Amino acid sequence: QVPNIIKALHKQLKEKSIKSRQGCFSLLTELASVLPGCLADHIPALIPGIVFSLADKSSSSNMRIDTLSFLHVLLCNHQPEVFHPHVKTLLPSVVTCIGDPFYKITSEALLVTQQLVKVIRPLDKPHTFDAKPYVKDLFPGTLKRLKAADIDQEVKERAISCMGQIIYNLGDHLSTDLQPTLKIFLERLKNEITRLTTVKALTLIASSPLKIDLRPILGEGLPILASFLRKNQRALKLSTLNALDILVKNYSDSLKPAMIEAVLTELPVLITENDMHVSQVTIMFLTTLAKVYPSCLSKISGSVLAEIFQLVHSPLLQGGALNAIIDFFQALVLTKTAAMGYPELMKQLTAPIYSSASAGASLTLHKQAYHSVAKCVAALSSACPKEAPATVTQFVQDVKSPKSSPAVQVLAFLFLAEVGRTTNLSAQRELRTVILEAFASPSEEVKSAASYALGNVSAGNLKEYLPFMLKEIGSQPKRQYLLLHSLKEVISSSPADSLTPYVEDIWALLFKHCECTEEGTRNVVAECLGKLTLVNPAELLPRLRKQLSAGSPHARSTVVTAIKFTITDQPQPIDALLKGCIG
């Protein structure tokens, strides 16, 4: 269809009638958005029409705005190479629009220019196009708009972003113009209205592979950025943290310790469970600091760590923020600073759980906090392989000891689960017995943690643990529910190819139990069946469907529930096969 459409529109683009041309651009804009890349072969046919509408003096301002917005969509949705032969024709008319007295035209033209800069010199792939001759066209027009004080807010912001892009892609061609332009950015950083856009532009420039020299503005710029961390504007805080992170990664040799310390004092306040995302970005920045300036961190380690431990023990911690904390602890323990060494961090992480040992049967922290602490402790062990075996042994002893409170046992099992998933723990001879004994614990939390541990330790050592687990499920009706939960963990945590040899045994066992009278047990069997089907959907899904004709209603309901667990958030090979089963 596309060639026919272009053929029909080609003549219309040079018509006198403004309405026809606007209609053409509106149709082309939709086409380029819906089918990115579809106009690549037709660019030569479109360029004359674009230039005509931009340069036509009789055109209304709306005509030019529509033309520019189509050009922007076109540039965004096609490969840079297709435009290279036409830059010479296109650029002058776009630059003329930057100087247009009507602010809406200027604003659209700056957006197009920003995209054109990426096209003229794409830095992410090799290209032969020479961008140098065009810098003298692009730069002065944008600079004029960047300097102007009395222009519209949107124009100000787009001029800053456009100039940021020019420096990012073409900074090495600006020679003596570069430093005065960076000084203007410094001025815009001090202005409340333009500061957020400027922070984003500086982040872009600092990440440029051209290694733009920012030293002349860092001395004055860094304290201003540090002050933004105190402001109430959330978007400004987040953008500033990203900017500081890039600056520390790419300009560490130009930053003085005093500059870093000014930033550090602002960080502890940002780590709070009231805003997990700001906390996460702050902790990611602290991880960068721990790698680049380990010595600076010791000055604030006390206050920062106090806040981070509070987060780890919070019921709200999960996902990205938890992963950020894990990375931070691993980076911190590798800095080899006395106050932040392995024993210190371990003690602080687990203190609330051990100190509650006298509190009797209940868990003192929220259940989520035990998982968080276990993940952090396991991450520290994997960062310090010399210390790990002793820690594993200590936790196995904690589980065995009759003196341990349920809270300590839960933490120990969750830790063993985290480590066991990735490390073979067969050196711990008594581990299996210890876990099975815990299945008889009076505390539900301990039982559940032991079942989770058995599943994950088995996933790390299938050969030794899985046959044993399957035998136990068959012979221990009392422990069956907990053992099935362990099996669910094994199936969820193991890669498909390592499970393949055991699929038949697991499958047969699950179908033995799918008619169980306990609904709770049937639900776990269904989840195991669903997740097991994902290991080899082409073979197992038809077998699962066959069971829908089973005589017992319990068995049929288990199969229907199992299908629910084959549907996952992420695309999977089974998706195409499921279409035939559902509906």
Side-chain angles (χ1 to χ4, degrees), residues 154-407:
E154 191 179 75
V155 175
K156 271 185 185 158
E157 290 180 355
R158 287 186 173 174
I160 293 168
S161 306
C162 183
M163 188 54 91
Q165 196 72 53
I166 290 176
I167 296 176
Y168 173 88
N169 288 70
L170 304 163
D172 51 350
H173 291 328
L174 295 179
S175 60
T176 53
D177 288 325
L178 178 63
Q179 291 313 327
T181 312
L182 289 173
K183 286 279 193 285
I184 303 175
F185 275 116
L186 204 52
E187 292 310 310
R188 296 289 171 270
L189 208 52
K190 296 172 187 169
N191 178 328
E192 194 173 330
I193 295 172
T194 51
R195 62 191 181 191
L196 178 59
T197 314
T198 311
V199 170
K200 289 178 177 169
L202 285 172
T203 310
L204 180 70
I205 294 170
S207 64
S208 169
L210 304 175
K211 303 268 176 281
I212 306 298
D213 182 9
L214 292 177
R215 279 172 307 191
I217 62 164
L218 286 178
E220 200 179 334
L222 222 65
I224 299 176
L225 288 173
S227 73
F228 291 167
L229 297 176
R230 260 174 269 152
K231 302 284 186 257
N232 276 339
Q233 194 185 350
R234 186 167 179 270
L236 182 65
K237 275 185 202 168
L238 287 166
S239 295
T240 303
L241 286 164
N242 285 329
L244 289 165
D245 192 59
I246 289 282
L247 285 169
V248 167
K249 278 180 182 150
N250 293 350
Y251 292 86
S252 53
D253 46 357
S254 314
L255 300 175
K256 308 216 166 34
M259 294 183 191
I260 298 290
E261 278 157 31
V263 173
L264 283 175
T265 48
E266 307 295 341
L267 298 178
V269 201
L270 298 177
I271 302 170
T272 153
E273 65 177 8
N274 299 336
D275 191 330
M276 279 296 181
H277 188 56
V278 171
S279 302
Q280 176 183 336
V281 179
T282 307
I283 293 165
M284 285 157 78
F285 174 47
L286 280 163
T287 308
T288 302
L289 285 170
K291 290 174 182 166
V292 182
Y293 294 110
S295 53
C296 283
L297 265 192
S298 52
K299 299 222 162 93
I300 55 149
S301 60
S303 50
V304 161
L305 283 173
E307 298 300 338
I308 291 182
F309 289 130
Q310 285 249 283
L311 269 195
V312 174
H313 301 137
S314 152
L316 304 176
L317 181 68
Q318 54 169 346
L322 175 57
N323 293 335
I325 290 180
I326 289 172
D327 290 344
F328 174 65
F329 281 141
Q330 289 188 318
L332 194 60
V333 78
L334 296 175
T335 61
K336 305 273 191 284
T337 325
M340 301 175 280
Y342 185 83
E344 280 304 307
L345 291 173
M346 289 294 255
K347 198 167 117 195
Q348 300 251 27
L349 273 170
T350 55
I353 295 167
Y354 281 101
S355 62
S356 66
S358 53
S362 67
L363 298 191
T364 42
L365 293 171
H366 186 277
K367 196 172 160 196
Q368 176 60 36
Y370 288 86
H371 280 275
S372 303
V373 172
K375 281 189 157 77
C376 292
V377 173
L380 284 174
S381 307
S382 76
C384 304
K386 282 189 187 142
E387 322 276 351
T391 309
V392 173
T393 307
Q394 178 218 322
F395 277 116
V396 173
Q397 295 311 319
D398 279 343
V399 174
K400 274 171 60 183
S401 160
K403 296 196 188 97
S404 293
S405 68

